[in-house]
Amino acid sequence: MIKIVAGPCVIESAELLDTVAARLVEINKNLGTEIIFKASFDKANRTSLSSYRGVGLDKGLQMLADVKSKWGLKLCTDIHEAWQAAPAGEVIDVIQIPAFLCRQTDLLVAAAKTGRTVNIKKAQFLSGEDMKFPYEKAVQSGAKEVWLTERGNMFGYNNLIVDFRNIPDMLKIASTVVMDCTHSVQRPGAAGGKTGGNREFVPAMAQAAKAFGANGFFFEVHPDPDKGLSDGPNMLRLEDLEGVVKSLL
């Protein structure tokens, strides 16, 4: 079964988490999938100091634990500092390493030591083959399962491009390679102190990645992306998720 991760970019409210979680449960029932719920407790890499970051570690992990208890979904969230790994590992099933931080040795080691699945996003400045080294750091530090995620490479200023050859290259390293279909359509810093994006290309990104062998797919979703507090321009509309997932099965 392919791996699917979906959820809002950042925790905005308990109501948003419940709205998205309820829809994921419905899609899982309709399609026989096991979508993993993703939301960030803190977005430490926002473009501007004034941008919304989230609710913080303690409150965020409690809210995510509530989602797991209420809806029965597995959880994914990202960490930015090594000390966050242990508390996150008590709640989270898939600990995600942000692309900008994928070479941070202490972060990878701490994530690996939790015993949880570690999903390492490929940096925008690395090739697929380069991901051998972050992968080895995690495995050698005790991680039992490590995923690698493609999310595009910098293409000049304020733009990304996806070299889909990175997917088969990373499949030589890890058995699970995820396509981050929403961050790949970002335009970093291109919206006046915020990140822009082109969500209309998300379904095509998913299909192209499937053609290149991706066996995991990551989608940030929101009931009303244009009102989202982080990554709105590249988030997929929640109502469109089921159709995109169905096309990948």
Side-chain angles (χ1 to χ4, degrees):
M1 181 183 294
I2 62 173
K3 306 287 196 307
I4 302 172
V5 180
C9 176
V10 66
I11 297 173
E12 299 177 16
S13 66
E15 291 75 20
L16 173 64
L17 299 189
D18 278 343
T19 297
V20 175
R23 185 70 184 114
L24 298 189
V25 169
E26 195 173 85
I27 295 171
N28 283 339
K29 182 178 179 181
N30 292 343
L31 301 182
T33 48
E34 189 181 7
I35 301 175
I36 299 167
F37 182 95
K38 181 269 172 185
S40 297
F41 55 81
D42 179 24
K43 299 298 292 184
N45 55 355
R46 295 302 305 274
T47 303
S48 171
L49 185 62
S50 62
S51 296
Y52 177 76
R53 286 183 54 166
V55 298
L57 177 71
D58 293 338
K59 184 176 180 180
L61 289 179
Q62 183 57 60
M63 293 172 77
L64 290 170
D66 291 343
V67 168
K68 177 182 279 191
S69 175
K70 183 175 181 179
W71 299 102
L73 294 165
K74 292 184 177 179
L75 302 173
C76 173
T77 200
D78 37 27
I79 60 172
H80 295 83
E81 299 185 60
W83 65 267
Q84 297 172 338
E90 295 178 6
V91 176
I92 304 301
D93 301 280
V94 180
I95 294 179
Q96 188 162 273
I97 306 299
F100 288 131
L101 302 178
C102 74
R103 290 172 52 154
Q104 296 297 104
T105 300
D106 290 345
L107 189 64
L108 290 165
V109 170
K113 287 182 176 179
T114 66
R116 300 295 192 173
T117 296
V118 180
N119 182 31
I120 311 173
K121 288 193 169 185
K122 180 182 71 62
Q124 297 90 328
F125 48 84
L126 294 180
S127 71
E129 292 176 336
D130 290 331
M131 292 304 291
K132 170 185 176 182
F133 302 104
Y135 177 87
E136 288 178 346
K137 286 180 183 179
V139 170
Q140 292 171 13
S141 300
K144 296 181 177 63
E145 184 174 16
V146 180
W147 305 349
L148 297 178
T149 291
E150 168 62 38
R151 54 95 71 242
N153 283 82
M154 295 305 300
F155 187 62
Y157 298 117
N158 306 124
N159 206 359
L160 295 172
I161 192 167
V162 177
D163 181 351
F164 288 97
R165 294 173 298 181
N166 284 325
I167 293 172
D169 283 346
M170 290 193 290
L171 282 167
K172 296 174 185 176
I173 302 166
S175 59
T176 298
V177 172
V178 178
M179 181 67 198
D180 184 339
C181 304
T182 44
H183 285 99
S184 295
V185 301
Q186 282 183 329
R187 293 188 181 272
K194 308 186 286 188
T195 290
N198 298 96
R199 74 172 70 94
E200 65 269 24
F201 298 132
V202 169
M205 283 288 183
Q207 288 297 326
K210 178 182 177 182
F212 276 85
N215 51 13
F217 300 89
F218 178 101
F219 303 97
E220 286 190 335
V221 297
H222 195 286
D224 189 352
D226 291 331
K227 294 182 179 178
L229 299 182
S230 177
D231 280 1
N234 58 265
M235 279 197 287
L236 189 67
R237 290 184 176 86
L238 182 60
E239 65 188 31
D240 295 333
L241 179 62
E242 182 169 359
V244 176
V245 171
K246 188 175 182 179
S247 74
L248 297 171
L249 301 178

